[in-house]
Amino acid sequence: MATDRTRTDPSLQLSVGREQVVIDHRYETASIVNDVLIAVFFTIGSVLFFFDSTQTAGTWLFLLGSLDFLARPVIRLSRRTHLRRLGHRSAPTDRDYDF
């Protein structure tokens, strides 16, 4: 009877998986914030580039947006490293490429 209970009790299956869910949400949030910053940098930089007096500021925002693109793979690599340290050994999924 005890074996039937352990098979249906979802709390027993969430020892590492629950940690992974928390980790995924944190890295997903970081990725979303990063994407928003990229959009803001390029949008404002584009507007500033229309005027001669603000082209330099627009160029700097383009540079910041470009550097922010580098943060995307860093976030993914950090997530994978974090999960690996916790002992998660599954193969990459489609979700791994979202953030």
Side-chain angles (χ1 to χ4, degrees):
M1 184 83 174
T3 57
D4 290 337
R5 183 175 167 200
T6 56
R7 287 183 188 162
T8 60
D9 188 2
S11 64
L12 295 175
Q13 298 173 1
L14 296 176
S15 60
V16 174
R18 186 173 193 171
E19 291 247 357
Q20 182 181 351
V21 169
V22 171
I23 291 168
D24 281 348
H25 288 301
R26 288 178 185 166
Y27 285 101
E28 183 178 17
T29 300
S31 181
I32 290 169
V33 168
N34 182 55
D35 288 348
V36 168
L37 285 175
I38 290 169
V40 167
F41 289 148
F42 278 105
T43 302
I44 294 173
S46 296
V47 171
L48 293 177
F49 215 74
F50 284 126
F51 308 102
D52 291 333
S53 61
T54 59
Q55 277 187 353
T56 302
T59 303
W60 280 104
L61 286 175
F62 284 147
L63 178 62
L64 284 174
S66 297
L67 290 173
D68 214 4
F69 272 120
L70 180 63
R72 199 162 230 262
V74 170
I75 291 169
R76 284 197 334 253
L77 183 62
S78 298
R79 175 186 169 269
R80 285 182 147 197
T81 304
H82 193 166
L83 288 174
R84 183 71 77 165
R85 280 186 304 181
L86 290 175
H88 187 295
R89 303 262 189 244
S90 70
T93 62
D94 289 341
R95 186 179 166 103
D96 288 338
Y97 301 107
D98 288 344
F99 46 87

